[in-house]
Every structure is written in structure tokens, then in C-alpha cells.
Amino acid sequence: MAWRFVKQPNGLLAIFSDVVDDFTYVNMTAAQAFDHCKSKHGLSDADAHQKVRAGLDDWKPWAHTVKGSGHDRWDESLRIIQDAHGDLGLKKIMDDVARS
């Protein structure tokens, strides 16, 4: 999985990239996320819906359809960002999300 939707604490969605170990988009609505899947990745309606649903329902990373606690993907993403980019990387994303 190169990227996944992550539900932010504010209820909006972010895209986390395993390639850069960081968010590439933040503060997306479900409709924007669906459109992103279709336009940027060429996914079918069904696949786009499933990808967005995984983020909204907080499916555990790498555990298809297993619902998380509501913040598992978020917490895992922040841990990876901090490991890869340090505290400044973590602060940047928290600042970006806080601006929503």
C-alpha cells in the first residue's frame, strides 16, 4: 500500500504516503477524497468508495476491513512521521491540521 486515507481528529481526511512517510494532502472532505481517487489514481467508483470508507471507518493499517479505535491510522501516521522526520516534521503536520 503506497498511500491511504487517514481520518484526522477534526473528522476530515488526509492522505498518508508510505513513500515519503508523511501526509501529502490534509483537510479533505469525503467528496474531495473520492474525487481524488478517481482523478489522480483512476480508481473505479467501487474502489474509490472502499478506499475512502477505510479512512472514515479507521480500518487498521494493513488489516483490510478491521475497524480501529477511531484514531489508529492517525496515531500510526504520526508515529511514522516523528520517526522519519523528527519533532519538527510532527509539529508541521499538527500546525497544518490546526489551520482547518
Side-chain angles (χ1 to χ4, degrees):
M1 176 186 335
W3 63 276
R4 62 186 163 275
F5 287 112
V6 175
K7 185 169 64 173
Q8 301 169 193
N10 62 9
L12 296 174
L13 293 168
I15 296 177
F16 184 81
S17 169
D18 291 317
V19 174
V20 296
D21 290 334
D22 207 344
F23 292 110
T24 54
Y25 295 89
V26 295
N27 299 322
M28 300 174 80
T29 65
Q32 289 170 324
F34 181 84
D35 290 343
H36 178 88
C37 287
K38 304 264 304 160
S39 65
K40 299 284 187 186
H41 300 283
L43 297 181
S44 68
D45 284 356
D47 288 343
H49 176 75
Q50 183 175 17
K51 193 93 167 164
V52 172
R53 177 61 37 214
L56 291 172
D57 287 347
D58 190 45
W59 293 355
K60 290 186 179 225
W62 304 285
H64 187 67
T65 71
V66 177
K67 287 189 180 182
S69 67
H71 53 82
D72 285 339
R73 284 179 174 223
W74 179 255
D75 293 346
E76 175 71 4
S77 298
L78 294 183
R79 185 194 61 74
I80 292 169
I81 290 168
Q82 189 169 30
D83 287 351
H85 305 288
D87 290 338
L88 288 177
L90 189 59
K91 181 181 179 331
K92 178 192 171 298
I93 194 60
M94 297 306 284
D95 290 346
D96 288 348
V97 171
R99 282 194 291 265
S100 66

